[in-house]
Amino acid sequence: MTGREDLPTRVVSALVGAALLLFVLWAGVVLILPTLVLVLLLGALELKEMLARRGIRLNLPLLLVGGVGVYLFSLPTLYWHFPQVPWREVALGLFLMASFSYELLKGADIPRFAFTLFAFLYLPWSLGYVLLLRETPDGTLGLWTLSLPIVASFATDIGAYFAGRAFGRRKLAPEISPGKTLEGSLGGILVSFLALVAYTGWVREVFPFGLLELWLFSLLLSLAAQLGDLAESMLKRFAGVKDSGRFLPGHGGLLDRIDSLLFTFPLTYFLVVLFT
């Protein structure tokens, strides 16, 4: 996350964003799908601008068409009626063939091919898991489990911010994100763990997981949230920018806001499938 916001702004921004996100998730596919398309468009534009600073062209039209395609292939109704078909893998295969075909016809720009494929996996492929997770194993439990990565991501961010400011001494990854410290990282893991334990304890009866499984969830989701944060920092360092864009004045870009969720949403889906 960016470090220039003052604390009240960060807290208000986080609360408003979490409230909007929870409302969209509560409404179900009817709001999730168009929201994901909007996030794909804004995120892809930010990626395009960042990569352009390194002279890399992104195949934006193909990325958008392929992204909408993987969303549609992630709709739970497809898996209900045709569970034997690996729909998302089909979407990935089609996108890969389309990318190859485009480059064969348009000049074999390998960096464009590679970074467009990366953008496809980073944005729509990761976010498509939200559609599946919303209905896994059913609509009620799916809504509750979707709240886990949101709580983990925000708690990790808040914990890392306070712990880093109070105790930060040793750099975590100075070549990628000079402002992040080992103490902040550990603080983020601790706060996320405590937040998830408190949250799942408060609504314990709705989760079909054991206490040990929930603790494992909290640890892995916090680690994934920080990995997502560092991955986006690496991208920004590569592009030579401080923020991914200007999604909100003074708040950085959209990718700055969702970098943790891009890793915690897919991981939550994998854990739910594994433990239910």
Side-chain angles (χ1 to χ4, degrees):
M1 298 291 179
T2 57
R4 70 185 182 188
E5 302 99 323
D6 55 44
L7 181 59
T9 300
R10 289 177 66 92
V11 172
V12 171
S13 173
L15 291 176
V16 171
L20 288 174
L21 184 57
L22 288 173
F23 174 74
V24 169
L25 297 179
W26 170 80
V29 173
V30 66
L31 276 187
I32 293 175
L33 184 57
T35 301
L36 289 180
V37 173
L38 178 61
V39 170
L40 168 63
L41 175 61
L42 297 176
L45 287 173
E46 289 186 359
L47 278 176
K48 177 176 177 287
E49 293 299 321
M50 282 198 293
L51 293 174
R53 297 172 67 91
R54 297 296 298 261
I56 298 170
R57 294 179 296 174
L58 200 61
N59 192 338
L60 192 61
L62 185 62
L63 175 61
L64 296 177
V65 172
V68 173
V70 77
Y71 287 160
L72 295 177
F73 279 43
S74 300
L75 289 174
T77 48
L78 285 177
Y79 291 83
W80 295 339
H81 296 294
F82 306 99
Q84 73 281 10
V85 179
W87 291 103
R88 286 171 52 82
E89 286 72 18
V90 172
L92 175 60
L94 291 174
F95 182 79
L96 192 59
M97 287 190 288
S99 298
F100 270 122
S101 301
Y102 183 91
E103 297 304 335
L104 288 172
L105 294 172
K106 297 294 183 178
D109 187 333
I110 298 301
R112 178 176 59 195
F113 167 80
F115 278 93
T116 301
L117 179 59
F118 155 76
F120 176 81
L121 295 173
Y122 185 61
L123 268 179
W125 178 266
S126 297
L127 291 173
Y129 282 105
V130 175
L131 292 161
L132 281 176
L133 190 55
R134 179 62 178 84
E135 301 293 333
T136 303
D138 55 58
T140 300
L141 183 57
L143 179 59
W144 282 105
T145 51
L146 264 171
S147 65
L148 294 178
I150 298 172
V151 172
S153 297
F154 283 110
T156 298
D157 186 32
I158 293 171
Y161 176 80
F162 279 108
R165 286 178 63 91
F167 309 109
R169 298 293 183 273
R170 286 164 290 188
K171 299 295 183 182
L172 178 65
E175 294 184 357
I176 296 175
S177 183
K180 292 182 174 59
T181 63
L182 178 61
E183 292 81 2
S185 175
L186 294 175
I189 292 174
L190 178 61
V191 171
S192 175
F193 177 79
L194 295 175
L196 280 176
V197 169
Y199 173 64
T200 55
W202 178 48
V203 288
R204 180 71 184 86
E205 66 280 2
V206 303
F207 291 107
F209 316 116
L211 193 58
L212 185 61
E213 292 167 345
L214 285 171
W215 287 359
L216 178 65
F217 269 46
S218 67
L219 176 61
L220 293 178
L221 288 178
S222 180
L223 290 173
Q226 297 197 44
L227 183 61
D229 191 15
L230 286 171
E232 212 253 343
S233 294
M234 183 173 62
L235 271 174
K236 291 188 294 187
R237 177 55 63 96
F238 175 74
V241 297
K242 181 175 176 56
D243 298 326
S244 64
R246 296 179 180 177
F247 179 57
L248 290 173
H251 294 254
L254 175 66
L255 296 179
D256 292 317
R257 302 294 96 188
I258 66 170
D259 52 8
S260 300
L261 296 172
L262 290 174
F263 280 60
T264 53
F265 276 140
L267 178 62
T268 303
Y269 176 75
F270 300 146
L271 291 173
V272 169
V273 171
L274 183 63
F275 288 108
T276 58

